[in-house]
C-alpha cells in the first residue's frame, strides 16, 4: 500500500507547527515518510512529551525518605514499612470520554491499572474524579451515564474496589468533561519493576491482547482542542476488555517471579511507539522492531497503524533470553499473546521493519528526551482582594442547606457509588462517600487511605491559593481518618496553554501545589498533564486534581466511628466566615465572585498533627471544605441517622469555607479533654453544638432530618437516574 504524500495539510493534521516540522527535517537531514511522521507526532505531542509543562513540573518537590520512585516511571512508589510499598498514579482520559463516554472511561481505568501492575504491584484500590457540564445541558446526562457505567463496568469486572472520588458539575465543562482515574497497588519494596531497557541484543517481547486499529492517533487527538469535527474523532477511542486485563495482570505478576523480566512498559498513549521509545531512551539503547511478528486482529494493517494503535491490554518487555520458554509458557497458560517482535541495539536508532521494508529509521533519543520544550508566555491573574462578605449576606440556614443538598454537586453520590464494587477483595474498611477511602493492607495491621480533591472555582479565581487548597484538603481528608499523609499524584487539567491566561493558571497552580506539598511533606511521585481541554475556544475551569495516599500504621490509629445521640460538636481552626467562591454563593446566589479562601499551611500542619496526636479523644472527624460547617455537620449526622443542633444562625459561620478546619464528634468527657489539649497547644477550638434528636436545627431554623435526608439521597438520582 502506497504511503500518502507528505503535504502541509497532513503535517498540520498530525499536530505539528511549521517550526516543529522543520526541526524534524533538520534532525533527519531529510523529510520523514508517513510512518516516521506519525511516530514523531506521537512522541512530540503534548500528551506524551509534556512540552508545555516540563519546565514547571521540574519545580515540584518529588523526594523524601518515604519515596522509592518519583515521577518518570509508570507510577510512583512509596515505602510503607515492613518491606512493603504502595504504587499509585492518576491519569486523565478526558477527550476519549467526551467522544465515547463508556469506552473512554473504561479504558481510562484499564490504563491506570496497567501503570500500577507494570511496576510489579497488585492493584488494591481505585478512585475517580469526574467533572461534567451543567446538569441541564443536553449532553450531560448521556456523559454521566456512559462514564459512570464505563468506570464501574471495567473496575468491577477486573476486580478492584473503587473506594472514593468526586463528581462535580459546572457549565465550563459543557464541551469537555474530565475523567481522571486513580489506581493504587501493593508490592514488595525490593521487587519493583522499571521500564529502562538494558543489555544489547536482548529480545523485545509483545505481551497481552492483539493489535487492532482502535485508538490510532489517540495521543495526538488528546493534544488538540475540540471543534465541530468531533464526531470524526470517534475512531481514535480505544475499546477495552477488563477480563483480558485481569488475565494480563495475573500473567505479568507470575512472570515477574521468574526473573525473566529485564524491563517492562505498559502500552498506553501512542501504543507500541511510546513504549518502545521510552524503554530504549531510559536505557540509552536503540530498538529494532519487526512488525510482521506483531499479533494482529485485523487484516492488512500498515506500519503506521501498528505503531500508533492504542489497542488495550498490551505490554512490551525486554526479556532475559535464557528464560524465554518459561515466560512464553506462562502467557500461553493465560491465553494471551507472547511474541518476540524485536531486539535492543547499541546504536541510537528506532528501526521499524515491515514486509522486508524499512518503514522507519529514526534517532531514538531525539523522539523522547529531546522532544520540544516550550517556555510559554503566561499571565498570572491578579486575585480579588479579601472582603468580609457576611456583613451583607444572611439567609435562612435551613434554606441554604436545602439548596446545597438538593444540588447534584453536593447531594449524596449513592447513585454513582452503587454502580461501583467497593467491597471486592474484602479489605475495604468503609463505603465511598464518607470521607477518604480506607483499605486494609492484607495480613497486616496497617491500612492505606486514599483521597482525591480540588475546588476548580478557587483555582480559577486564584490559581496559587487554589493549588495550595487542593493539596491542603487532601491532607485534611487523610488526617480526618487518622492517616499520616505520605505522598501525592497530580492530574493537571487545563485549557489551551498557548493562551497566556491559561498558561498563567497552570503556572500559578503548580506554584501553589509545590508550596503545599513541600510544607505538608506530601511529595509528588507521579502524575499527568492534560491540556487543550477546550471546545470552540472555550476552556474548562482549571482543575488540578490532587490524589493523595496516607498510612494508618495500626487499627488503633484509625478514626472511623459513628456519631451518636448526645455527642458534642467541636470545631477546630480559625473561622472568619469566608464566603468568597463558596458553594453557598454558587448554588444559592449563582455567584462566583469574591476571593478564594487563603490557605495557611502552618495552620494546616499544626491542626492536622493535633488531630492525629489526640485521636483517642475523637469518635468522628470530618474536614471542612465546600459548604462549611453547615454541610459537614449535616453529612456526619445524616450518615448516622441522628439529628444535629448548631448554635449559630450566622451565614458566614455556618457556610463559610475558611481552611485548616475540622469538625469533631465525641462524648462530653472527651470533648473536655480535647479542649484542654487544644488550649495547651494554643489551637483554636470551640463547642458549636451537639448531635442527637430527629431534626436539623441551625440557630432557630429547623427541619426534620427524614425530610432533609430524603432530599439529600434522592436529588442526584432524580436528576440523572
Amino acid at each position: 500500500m502506497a504511503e500518502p504524500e507528505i503535504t502541509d495539510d497532513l503535517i498540520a493534521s498530525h499536530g505539528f507547527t511549521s517550526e516543529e516540522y522543520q526541526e524534524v527535517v533538520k534532525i533527519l537531514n531529510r523529510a520523514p515518510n508517513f510512518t516516521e511522521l506519525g511516530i514523531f507526532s506521537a512522541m512530540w505531542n503534548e500528551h506524551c512529551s509534556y512540552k508545555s509543562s516540563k519546565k514547571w513540573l521540574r519545580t515540584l518537590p518529588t523526594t523524601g525518605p518515604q519515596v522509592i520512585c518519583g515521577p518518570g516511571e509508570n507510577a510512583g512508589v512509596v515505602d510503607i514499612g515492613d518491606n512493603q510499598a504502595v504504587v499509585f498514579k492518576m491519569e486523565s482520559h478526558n477527550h476519549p470520554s467526551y467522544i465515547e463516554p463508556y469506552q473512554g472511561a473504561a479504558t481510562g481505568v484499564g490504563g491506570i491499572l496497567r501503570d500500577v501492575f507494570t511496576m510489579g504491584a497488585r492493584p488494591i484500590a481505585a478512585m475517580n474524579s469526574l467533572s461534567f457540564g451543567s446538569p441541564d445541558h443536553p449532553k450531560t446526562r448521556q456523559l454521566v451515564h456512559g462514564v459512570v457505567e464505563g468506570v464501574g463496568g471495567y473496575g468491577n469486572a477486573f476486580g478492584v474496589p473503587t473506594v472514593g472520588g468526586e463528581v462535580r458539575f459546572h457549565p465550563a465543562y459543557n464541551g469537555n468533561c474530565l475523567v481522571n482515574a486513580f489506581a493504587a497497588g501493593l508490592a514488595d519494596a525490593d521487587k519493583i519493576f522499571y521500564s529502562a531497557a538494558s543489555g544489547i541484543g536482548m529480545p523485545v517481547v509483545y505481551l497481552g491482547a492483539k493489535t487492532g486499529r482502535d485508538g490510532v492517533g489517540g495521543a495526538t487527538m488528546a493534544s488538540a482542542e475540540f471543534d465541530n469535527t468531533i464526531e470524526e474523532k470517534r475512531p481514535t477511542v480505544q475499546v477495552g476488555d477488563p477480563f483480558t486485563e485481569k488475565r494480563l495482570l495475573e500473567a505479568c505478576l507470575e512472570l515477574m517471579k521468574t526473573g525473566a523480566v529485564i524491563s517492562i512498559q505498559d502500552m498506553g498513549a501512542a501504543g507500541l511507539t511510546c513504549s518502545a521509545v521510552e524503554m530504549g531512551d531510559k536505557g540509552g539503547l536503540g530498538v529494532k522492531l519487526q512488525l510482521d511478528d506483531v499479533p494482529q486482529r485485523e487484516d492488512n494493517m500498515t506500519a503506521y497503524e501498528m505503531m500508533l494503535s492504542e489497542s488495550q491490554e498490551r505490554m512490551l518487555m525486554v526479556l532475559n533470553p535464557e528464560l524465554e520458554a518459561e515466560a512464553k509458557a506462562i502467557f500461553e497458560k493465560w491465553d494471551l499473546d507472547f511474541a518476540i517482535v524485536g531486539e535492543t541495539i547499541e546504536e541510537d536508532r528506532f528501526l521499524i521493519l515491515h514486509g522486508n521494508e524499512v518503514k522507519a529509521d529514526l534517532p531514538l533519543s531525539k523522539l523522547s528526551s529531546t522532544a520540544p520544550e516550550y517556555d510559554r508566555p503566561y499571565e498570572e491573574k491578579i486575585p480579588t482582594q479579601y472582603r468580609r462578605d457576611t456583613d451583607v449576606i444572611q439567609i435562612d440556614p435551613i434554606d441554604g442547606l436545602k439548596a446545597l443538598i438538593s444540588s447534584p454537586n453536593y447531594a449524596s453520590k449513592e447513585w454513582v457509588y452503587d454502580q461501583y464494587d467497593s467491597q471486592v477483595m474484602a479489605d475495604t474498611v468503609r463505603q465511598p462517600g464518607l470521607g477518604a477511602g480506607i483499605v486494609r493492607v492484607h495480613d497486616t495491621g496497617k491500612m492505606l487511605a486514599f483521597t482525591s480533591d480540588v475546588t476548580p472555582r478557587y483555582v480559577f479565581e486564584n490559581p496559587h491559593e487554589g493549588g495550595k487548597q487542593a493539596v491542603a484538603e487532601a491532607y485534611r481528608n487523610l488526617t480526618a481518618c487518622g492517616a499520616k499523609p505520605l505522598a501525592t499524584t497530580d492530574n493537571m487539567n487545563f485549557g489551551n496553554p498557548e493562551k497566556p491566561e491559561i498558561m498563567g493558571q497552570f503556572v500559578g497552580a503548580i506554584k501553589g501545589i509545590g508550596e503545599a506539598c513541600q510544607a505538608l511533606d506530601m511529595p509528588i511521585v507521579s502524575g499527568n498533564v492534560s491540556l487543550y481541554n477546550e471546545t470552540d475556544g472555550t476552556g474548562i475551569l482549571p482543575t488540578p486534581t490532587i490524589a493523595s495516599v496516607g498510612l494508618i500504621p495500626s487499627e488503633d490509629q484509625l478514626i472511623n466511628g459513628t456519631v451518636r445521640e448526645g455527642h458534642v460538636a467541636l470545631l477546630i481552626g480559625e473561622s472568619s466566615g469566608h464566603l468568597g467562591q463558596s458553594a453557598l454563593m454558587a448554588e444559592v446566589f449563582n455567584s462566583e465572585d469574591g476571593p478564594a479562601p487563603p490557605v495557611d499551611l502552618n495552620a494546616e500542619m499544626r491542626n492536622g498533627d493535633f488531630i492525629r496526636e489526640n485521636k483517642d479523644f475523637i469518635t468522628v472527624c470530618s474536614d471542612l471544605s465546600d459548604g462549611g460547617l453547615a454541610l459537614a455537620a449535616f453529612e456526619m449526622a445524616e450518615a448516622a441517622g441522628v439529628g444535629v443542633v448548631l448554635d449559630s444562625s450566622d451565614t458566614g459561620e455556618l457556610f463559610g469555607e475558611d481552611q485548616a478546619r475540622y469538625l469533631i464528634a465525641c462524648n462530653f468527657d472527651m470533648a473536655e479533654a480535647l479542649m484542654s489539649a487544644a488550649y495547651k497547644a494554643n489551637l483554636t477550638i470551640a463547642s458549636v453544638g451537639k448531635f442527637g434528636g430527629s431534626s436539623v436545627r441551625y440557630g432557630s431554623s429547623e427541619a426534620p432530618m427524614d425530610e432533609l435526608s430524603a432530599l439529600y439521597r434522592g436529588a442526584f438520582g432524580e436528576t440523572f437516574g
Side-chain angles (χ1 to χ4, degrees), residues 421-648:
D421 188 341
S422 64
Q423 299 301 315
V424 64
M425 301 175 73
D427 281 319
T428 304
V429 174
R430 67 180 177 191
Q431 294 276 9
L434 299 174
I438 305 170
V439 174
R440 298 180 193 88
V441 179
H442 204 66
D443 292 330
T444 76
K446 295 180 290 192
M447 301 176 195
L448 289 167
F450 306 98
T451 187
S452 168
D453 299 286
V454 66
T455 307
R457 294 187 312 276
Y458 296 172
V459 187
F460 181 78
E461 163 55 28
N462 187 332
H464 183 255
E465 289 299 315
K468 284 166 60 179
Q469 192 276 338
V471 177
E473 187 174 344
Y475 173 87
R476 291 196 304 272
N477 270 322
L478 296 175
T479 296
C481 68
K484 171 65 176 173
L486 289 178
T488 298
T489 180
D490 59 351
N491 202 150
M492 307 292 289
N493 307 275
F494 289 80
N496 184 345
E498 297 167 45
K499 297 178 179 178
E501 68 274 18
I502 301 296
M503 196 64 204
Q505 293 173 353
F506 182 86
V507 171
I510 283 281
K511 289 179 178 179
I513 289 167
E515 186 180 331
C517 286
Q518 187 73 49
L520 300 175
D521 191 22
M522 298 166 63
I524 300 282
V525 297
S526 59
N528 172 247
V529 176
S530 175
L531 303 176
Y532 295 97
N533 289 291
E534 297 203 3
T535 299
D536 294 327
T538 300
I540 61 164
L541 288 180
T543 311
T545 309
I546 295 295
S548 297
V549 178
L551 176 65
I552 302 170
S554 59
E555 191 169 348
D556 62 357
Q557 301 291 310
L558 174 66
I559 302 173
N560 189 36
T562 302
V563 170
R564 294 197 305 272
E565 185 83 23
H567 270 164
V568 177
L570 296 178
L571 177 62
I572 288 181
E574 296 278 353
S575 299
S576 71
H578 187 103
L579 286 171
Q581 299 300 323
S582 66
L584 182 82
M585 295 297 294
E587 297 293 344
V588 177
F589 298 100
N590 196 30
S591 168
E592 296 180 11
D593 294 331
V599 179
D600 181 339
L601 294 171
N602 289 327
E604 295 284 1
M605 178 67 88
R606 187 172 63 247
N607 295 355
D609 286 345
F610 178 83
I611 294 290
R612 282 185 294 273
E613 290 164 3
N614 293 278
K615 53 86 189 166
D616 289 342
F617 303 131
I618 299 170
T619 304
V620 190
C621 183
S622 173
D623 90 298
L624 267 58
S625 53
D626 283 310
L629 174 62
L631 187 58
F634 168 79
E635 289 178 340
M636 285 172 65
E638 197 276 341
V642 302
V644 60
V645 175
L646 295 180
D647 301 328
S648 178

Side-chain angles (χ1 to χ4, degrees), residues 253-271:
L253 294 183
E254 186 175 340
L255 178 69
M256 288 167 174
K257 294 177 181 177
T258 67
V261 179
I262 294 174
S263 62
I264 189 165
Q265 175 75 38
D266 158 42
M267 283 198 227

Side-chain angles (χ1 to χ4, degrees), residues 136-186:
D136 58 5
H137 187 272
K139 194 170 176 66
T140 299
R141 181 184 172 86
Q142 173 211 353
L143 289 171
V144 170
H145 275 262
V147 166
V148 170
E149 289 168 10
V151 168
Y154 203 102
N156 296 352
F158 177 85
V160 63
T162 299
V163 300
E166 52 188 345
V167 185
R168 71 178 54 84
F169 299 88
H170 192 281
Y173 304 104
N174 281 347
N176 205 125
C177 67
L178 302 183
V179 175
N180 295 175
F182 168 96
L186 286 173

Side-chain angles (χ1 to χ4, degrees), residues 46-86:
E46 195 73 56
H47 192 75
C48 293
S49 73
Y50 295 89
K51 58 189 175 185
S52 297
S53 57
K54 278 190 286 192
K55 170 184 174 176
W56 295 103
L57 295 176
R58 293 191 192 102
T59 68
L60 292 169
T62 59
T63 59
Q66 71 272 44
V67 178
I68 295 173
C69 176
E73 276 292 339
N74 288 289
V77 186
V78 176
D79 191 352
I80 61 169
D82 306 311
N83 194 41
Q84 290 182 305
V86 59

Side-chain angles (χ1 to χ4, degrees), residues 346-358:
E346 187 173 9
E347 307 99 305
D348 179 22
R349 294 174 76 189
F350 193 37
L351 186 61
I352 310 300
L353 307 175
H354 187 219
N356 298 317
E357 293 182 32
V358 174

